[in-house]
Amino acid sequence: MVDTPTHSQLVEAVADHIARYRISIREVIQHVLCPGKSCAAAVQKLMDLGRIQVCARSARMAGKTSYYQLTHAEVMRRDLPVARARIRGTQSLPVDLAILWACCMTQRARLRADRRDLTELFRRLGLSGNPPKGEHCMERGELRGKPWVRILR
């Protein structure tokens, strides 16, 4: 039996989700964090606290879809790159949405991997050198009883 998260746990989970994927939309947040329920109260709480901001729909997004991202204050609190709080541009918005959807809305569970994730993975695996630059997703699984990680670009 899966425990239902408390309101404060859901608020933190939403903030962590947006921090990992850089942006998110309500449909994805609800699908991943509270299937069959509303995430509106958690999203509103984060906005009231000044931790996330809603970015008005873009010409590149269908209908009335808006997206959420961290505020400058939240980015600084989490020690993330300042660019994470900037409104997404015409090149970065489609990339961020594609990664969000590929990681969260498909049959395979994936995580967006930032430079910190890849550096830690390289360290744990004893690999020398720097991890690859660019946008990546990590997919974990098992092959013949042994764990594996696939890095997708």
Side-chain angles (χ1 to χ4, degrees):
M1 184 169 152
V2 177
D3 291 334
T4 304
T6 65
H7 177 70
S8 33
Q9 288 172 326
L10 182 57
V11 167
E12 290 309 311
V14 170
D16 292 344
H17 167 81
I18 294 170
R20 172 163 297 278
Y21 295 101
R22 300 185 187 166
I23 66 168
S24 196
I25 57 176
R26 190 172 299 244
E27 179 182 2
V28 172
I29 294 169
Q30 285 184 188
H31 175 78
V32 171
L33 299 174
C34 48
K37 297 181 181 177
S38 174
C39 64
V43 168
Q44 188 62 52
K45 178 73 171 177
L46 287 165
M47 286 192 296
D48 292 347
L49 293 171
R51 295 178 62 190
I52 66 169
Q53 57 192 342
V54 63
C55 300
R57 67 183 175 83
S58 156
R60 301 189 63 92
M61 295 175 69
K64 296 180 180 180
T65 303
S66 298
Y67 65 94
Y68 305 104
Q69 67 183 45
L70 300 180
T71 61
H72 185 274
E74 185 68 7
V75 163
M76 299 307 289
R77 189 180 78 76
R78 290 174 176 261
D79 193 29
L80 294 170
V82 176
R84 300 266 184 106
R86 292 189 190 121
I87 303 300
R88 310 316 289 162
T90 57
Q91 290 181 332
S92 60
L93 181 59
V95 169
D96 286 342
L97 283 169
I99 291 171
L100 175 70
W101 202 266
C103 288
C104 298
M105 300 298 283
T106 61
Q107 295 297 330
R108 294 182 184 257
R110 297 181 179 118
L111 291 174
R112 183 176 192 147
D114 65 13
R115 192 115 174 115
R116 291 179 189 183
D117 296 323
L118 295 176
T119 299
E120 174 62 18
L121 178 63
F122 271 47
R123 187 193 62 73
R124 284 189 16 229
L125 295 175
L127 299 173
S128 60
N130 294 322
K133 294 181 180 179
E135 306 295 337
H136 297 83
C137 299
M138 289 193 312
E139 183 179 304
R140 297 171 195 261
E142 202 170 279
L143 181 62
R144 292 184 223 125
K146 295 184 180 183
W148 58 265
V149 175
R150 179 177 11 197
I151 300 173
L152 309 166
R153 182 158 197 215

